[in-house]
């Protein structure tokens, strides 16, 4: 056994010696190579300041810009802003002035201050530029690049032409700073403003809003005259608009419900106040049938899925109930752990507050009901009255828009993007 151990030790020493000799030869060869090639063979490291500058450039957020009228803002506008935000880290939105809209398209339905409230409330928007020009001139484009640090200008795949027929984004494309997103089909301001060219009075205009020009009416046995929308709702689109977070175990959950038809600045402001009262805002969206039964068969103008997306896009909203019940029951309060139920002072119809069948009777009895003073005196009927008052001007505007939209649909092709 001793002999075997000694033999093993001798073998190990021999292998170690051989390894050392080979290592020495390799090391010597390396030193000789360095000597022969000279100092230039060793790569030089960049100065520390240069490294820092490169890191700062990589770390700077990509800022993208999108502009628009955002008149009667709808879920199509919101989806465009969502897509634009996905192309960068920060989205800056230019809201075109009333004067520029009048000069290029006709009078807007909603004035600038209301449109700014709407755009600012979209959860994908980081900042806004009010009174943006309709056409991106070289001067304004350079201002975007230098003062606002904009990297790319974004627009949809539908053409945007100036009155002289030129492309409004030609300069951005030429500069190589333009990116395109996919237009959300099935809705437009033109589509919402007018459904027929022969409306002559308030009641007939409201009928056109609901039934649509040349469109079918979905009676479905429910008595509802709600128009059949061109919008094709998908579960993916709802997920894209939804928040991925739920309330915490100790969250104060505030609930507010309504039709939220033709989602407007009045809706946004009451949602903002409601959200300030808790940690989580849950919004109930009433069904088309419920709204028709309480406000007439020609309401709502936007269907349940369209209204839900508009509300989901609002930064003050955490979650929605799609098709919420008219009555707020004890079971519903328990199921969603609701701490407070609120309602604004401005609404289409407040008569239910005096009825025996008050939908808020249960939360009132529980002492968790509160009325909020609405910041803006605007309802869906307010928006409709504005359209009626300027119907002739909108008719002329829509004739031009309908022609361009027809051309777009006839020549459109698939565009990758959501």
């Amino acid at each position: 056994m001793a002999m075997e151990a000694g033999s093993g030790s001798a073998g190990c020493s021999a292998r170690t010696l051989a390894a050392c000799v080979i290592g020495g030869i390799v090391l010597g060869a390396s030193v000789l190579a360095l000597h022969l090639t000279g100092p230039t063979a060793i790569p030089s490291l960049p100065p520390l300041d240069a490294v820092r500058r490169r890191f700062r450039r990589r770390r700077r957020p990509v800022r993208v810009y999108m502009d628009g009228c955002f008149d009667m803002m709808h879920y199509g506008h919101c989806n465009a802003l969502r897509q634009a935000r996905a192309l960068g880290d920060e989205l800056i939105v230019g809201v075109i002035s009333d004067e520029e809209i009048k000069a290029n398209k006709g009078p807007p339905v909603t004035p600038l201050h209301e449109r700014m409230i709407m755009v600012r409330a979209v959860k994908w928007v980081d900042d806004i530029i009010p009174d943006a020009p309709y056409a991106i001139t070289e001067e304004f484009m350079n201002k975007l690049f230098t003062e606002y640090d904009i990297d790319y200008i974004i627009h949809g795949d539908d053409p945007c032409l100036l009155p002289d027929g030129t492309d409004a984004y030609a300069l951005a494309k030429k500069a190589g700073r333009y990116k395109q997103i996919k237009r959300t089909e099935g809705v437009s301001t033109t589509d919402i403003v007018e459904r027929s060219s022969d409306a002559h009075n308030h009641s007939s205009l409201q009928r056109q809003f609901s039934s649509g020009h040349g469109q079918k009416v979905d009676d479905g046995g429910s008595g509802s005259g709600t128009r059949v929308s061109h919008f094709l709702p998908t579960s993916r689109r709802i997920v894209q608009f939804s928040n991925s977070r739920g309330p915490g175990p100790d969250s104060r959950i505030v609930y507010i419900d309504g039709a939220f038809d033709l989602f407007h600045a009045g809706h946004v402001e009451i949602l903002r106040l409601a959200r300030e009262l808790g940690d989580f805002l849950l919004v109930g969206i009433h069904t088309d049938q419920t709204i028709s039964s309480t406000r007439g068969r020609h309401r709502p103008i936007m269907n349940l899925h369209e209204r839900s997306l508009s509300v989901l896009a609002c930064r003050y909203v955490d979650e929605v109930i799609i098709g919420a019940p008219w009555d707020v029951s004890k079971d519903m309060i328990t199921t969603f752990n609701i701490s407070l139920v609120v309602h604004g002072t401005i609404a289409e119809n407040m008569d239910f507050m005096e009825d025996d069948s008050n939908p808020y009777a249960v939360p009132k009895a529980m002492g968790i009901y509160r009325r909020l003073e609405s910041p803006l005196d605007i309802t869906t009927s307010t928006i409709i009255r504005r359209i009626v008052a300027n119907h002739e001007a909108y008719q002329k505007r829509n004739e031009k828009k309908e022609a361009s939209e027809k051309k777009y649909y006839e020549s459109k092709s698939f565009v990758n993007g959501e």
Side-chain angles (χ1 to χ4, degrees), residues 131-142:
D131 290 315
Y134 189 82
I136 297 183
T137 62
E138 189 168 1
E139 179 184 2
F140 183 70
M141 185 173 70
N142 291 333

Side-chain angles (χ1 to χ4, degrees), residues 152-183:
Y152 297 102
I153 294 171
I154 317 293
H155 190 258
D157 62 320
D158 54 319
C160 183
L161 303 179
L162 299 174
D164 62 2
T166 58
D167 184 355
Y169 297 91
L171 290 174
K173 292 175 181 178
K174 185 178 179 181
R177 306 281 285 272
Y178 175 84
K179 287 191 176 185
Q180 187 170 277
I181 59 169
K182 189 174 182 178
R183 166 181 166 152

Side-chain angles (χ1 to χ4, degrees), residues 363-402:
K364 270 188 167 184
M366 296 174 64
I368 61 169
Y369 176 80
R370 179 173 169 182
R371 287 186 68 181
L372 297 180
E373 191 68 34
S374 299
L376 296 176
D377 186 7
I378 304 174
T379 65
T380 301
S381 293
T382 305
I383 305 299
I384 294 175
R385 283 194 294 270
R386 291 177 183 175
I387 295 169
V388 173
N390 290 283
H391 179 61
E392 185 176 344
Y394 295 139
Q395 183 66 40
K396 292 179 180 178
R397 182 182 79 176
N398 287 0
E399 286 173 358
K400 295 180 181 178
K401 186 67 175 176
E402 284 169 0

Side-chain angles (χ1 to χ4, degrees), residues 324-398:
W326 176 251
D327 294 306
V328 182
S329 65
K330 177 69 166 60
D331 180 69
M332 179 179 167
I333 292 170
T334 303
T335 299
F336 291 100
N337 195 27
I338 296 170
S339 304
L340 183 66
V341 177
V342 300
H343 194 279
T345 54
I346 301 295
E348 291 285 319
N349 182 4
M350 298 293 285
D351 294 342
F352 64 82
M353 301 299 292
E354 310 301 328
D355 295 343
D356 294 334
S357 56
N358 188 330
Y360 304 107
V362 171
K364 270 188 167 184
M366 296 174 64
I368 61 169
Y369 176 80
R370 179 173 169 182
R371 287 186 68 181
L372 297 180
E373 191 68 34
S374 299
L376 296 176
D377 186 7
I378 304 174
T379 65
T380 301
S381 293
T382 305
I383 305 299
I384 294 175
R385 283 194 294 270
R386 291 177 183 175
I387 295 169
V388 173
N390 290 283
H391 179 61
E392 185 176 344
Y394 295 139
Q395 183 66 40
K396 292 179 180 178
R397 182 182 79 176
N398 287 0

